[in-house]
Amino acid sequence: MAYLDAASTEPLHPAARDALLAAIDAGWADPARLYGTARRAQMLLERARGEVAELIGARPDEVSFTSSGTQAVHLGVLGTLAGRRRAGTRLVTGAVEHSSVLHAGEVHEHAGGEMEIVGVSRTGRVDAGAFAESVARPGTALACLQTANHEVGTLQPVEEAARACREAGVPLLVDAAQSAGRLPIPEGWSVLTASAHKWGGPAGVGVLAVRKGVRWRSPLPEDERERRRVPGFENVPAIVAAAAALRARSEEAQAEGRRLSALVDRIRAEVPRLVPDVEVVGDPVLRLPHLVTFSCLYVEGEALLTELDKAGFAVSSGSSCTASTLRPSHVLEAMGVLTHGNVRVSLPRGASEDDIDRFLAVLPDIVRRIRSSLGVH
């Protein structure tokens, strides 16, 4: 099986595995207690916090660990809105943000707040001018923008948005889930969220960083853990492994990013040449190094993924119009691109040229067979 779904979750990095196994033995105790084993766990936790802080460009006391990237986003969005209630109730966000941002916005709306969604170009990039205009309107409490899109890979204009937010006196939450460990963290964020399993750490660890001076109040019942930001017992071994993986991925990022980007360029060029009626979506240049998405007309995404799975490829889709949702991806809809037969290929660390050769060899016949079964020739 060729695993090509790193945007969903990256396989555990060897550095994370080694750190996890060591920390299970050394860091199992309650880091809030005062005896020796607890102090050892506390030391491991704070060392990991310092390492993550250094790698994302934060102070250690600004960083908290959550149980997931989604929880980090929910706490980041709702906590900043709660802390800035006197400043206003407007939330500004891009149309292609991760569902965790949009769902937090819906909760805010149900509580009487307002969410303004800024549109994107056909490549999935937020209109920086429209974003700046929206942020400057009176009563804006928070703006949210991802570093890069999780479905099509397009990089967002974070630094331009950060300048606009700074001029308007509005904090900017940046969701770095897809880019942390792969690309440098952009400057100018007020609140930063990320997810360890996206960079090769274990699942169950998210990062929430809140800059000093940003008003933030927990939307959850108070708990003394994680600077009173995140309730519940810290998973110290997983946090240690997450920090080790982020360090290792960051050191590899430049060379591995170049290698994976060349493989993605090949997929972007070859798929439309080999398969008729295909649209490759997302920005061809301003993009993540490891991710490419394309859509095939006259093909159901679910059928395509099933056939690719049978052929030995694990990929995902943003257009799963399944019986449970009956809706295509909100990202592809916002971009105004083809939503049928959508395939997202996202290359993990170590993905081989042979995997891509084989993928390009089997894809045309799979698409042809699915189209033939529907009477499309």
Side-chain angles (χ1 to χ4, degrees):
M1 171 64 72
Y3 181 77
L4 305 178
D5 194 22
S8 291
T9 192
E10 174 80 19
L12 195 66
H13 194 287
R17 184 183 299 278
D18 293 345
L20 181 63
L21 292 173
I24 284 171
D25 290 332
W28 55 268
D30 184 348
R33 302 296 169 230
L34 297 177
Y35 39 82
T37 49
R39 289 199 304 274
R40 189 181 308 125
Q42 171 73 2
M43 182 195 72
L44 288 170
L45 175 62
E46 293 311 316
R47 187 183 294 160
R49 193 188 312 279
E51 194 155 21
V52 169
E54 178 195 334
L55 291 165
I56 66 172
R59 291 168 30 162
D61 60 353
E62 294 172 333
V63 174
S64 298
F65 295 107
T66 66
S67 64
S68 66
T70 293
Q71 189 194 39
V73 166
H74 290 169
L75 289 172
V77 172
L78 297 175
T80 310
L81 288 169
R84 284 181 47 82
R85 194 172 295 161
R86 290 183 182 176
T89 60
R90 292 185 73 251
L91 167 66
V92 176
T93 186
V96 296
E97 295 299 304
H98 189 266
S99 58
S100 58
V101 172
L102 301 177
H103 291 160
E106 288 164 9
V107 169
H108 177 58
E109 285 182 314
H110 292 153
E114 179 189 347
M115 175 166 61
E116 182 169 342
I117 295 176
V118 179
V120 297
S121 68
R122 197 170 170 83
T123 64
R125 191 168 163 90
V126 164
D127 182 326
F131 196 90
E133 281 177 27
S134 185
V135 162
R137 291 191 186 112
T140 303
L142 175 66
C144 299
L145 192 62
Q146 60 192 185
T147 51
N149 186 258
H150 49 293
E151 288 190 26
V152 301
T154 298
L155 302 181
Q156 300 296 351
V158 173
E159 292 187 356
E160 295 97 308
R163 279 196 297 274
C165 286
R166 196 160 49 245
E167 287 169 13
V170 171
L172 176 66
L173 182 149
V174 171
D175 172 14
Q178 284 297 338
S179 67
R182 300 180 190 278
L183 295 172
I185 300 293
E187 300 282 330
W189 56 268
S190 311
V191 179
L192 187 82
T193 62
S195 181
H197 74 98
K198 304 289 190 184
W199 67 62
V205 180
V207 174
L208 170 65
V210 181
R211 287 280 191 220
K212 284 288 173 194
V214 174
R215 296 184 66 87
W216 187 92
R217 191 170 75 210
S218 177
L220 299 178
E222 190 168 298
D223 188 273
E224 71 276 6
R225 303 275 174 175
E226 286 302 291
R227 283 122 173 102
R228 301 184 182 274
R229 288 195 196 121
V230 188
F233 193 100
E234 298 96 339
N235 185 344
V236 173
I239 289 168
V240 168
L246 184 59
R247 167 72 67 191
R249 282 310 298 264
S250 298
E251 288 170 355
E252 299 164 355
Q254 203 167 359
E256 183 67 349
R258 269 198 306 270
R259 193 184 72 81
L260 296 180
S261 189
L263 294 177
V264 164
D265 280 338
R266 186 151 170 252
I267 297 170
R268 291 187 70 95
E270 288 295 297
V271 168
R273 190 180 70 78
L274 296 168
V275 182
D277 297 314
V278 162
E279 181 179 17
V280 180
V281 298
D283 197 292
V285 178
L286 300 172
R287 60 167 177 83
L288 290 167
H290 68 300
L291 193 156
V292 55
T293 299
F294 56 87
S295 299
C296 304
L297 197 59
Y298 315 121
V299 175
E300 284 185 6
E302 210 169 317
L304 192 46
L305 298 195
T306 302
E307 291 303 312
L308 284 166
D309 182 37
K310 288 177 187 173
F313 295 95
V315 297
S316 65
S317 173
S319 64
S320 49
C321 290
T322 60
S324 61
T325 64
L326 296 175
R327 277 195 65 119
S329 145
H330 74 276
V331 171
L332 301 178
E333 277 192 326
M335 291 166 63
V337 297
L338 188 63
T339 60
H340 288 255
N342 178 261
V343 175
R344 180 184 69 182
V345 175
S346 47
L347 308 181
R349 171 184 175 273
S352 73
E353 198 165 344
D354 287 348
D355 289 338
I356 305 311
D357 288 343
R358 197 160 59 86
F359 178 78
L360 292 171
V362 304
L363 179 68
D365 189 56
I366 288 174
V367 173
R368 184 191 57 73
R369 281 190 282 113
I370 295 171
R371 285 173 175 168
S372 294
S373 71
L374 299 171
V376 178
H377 300 286

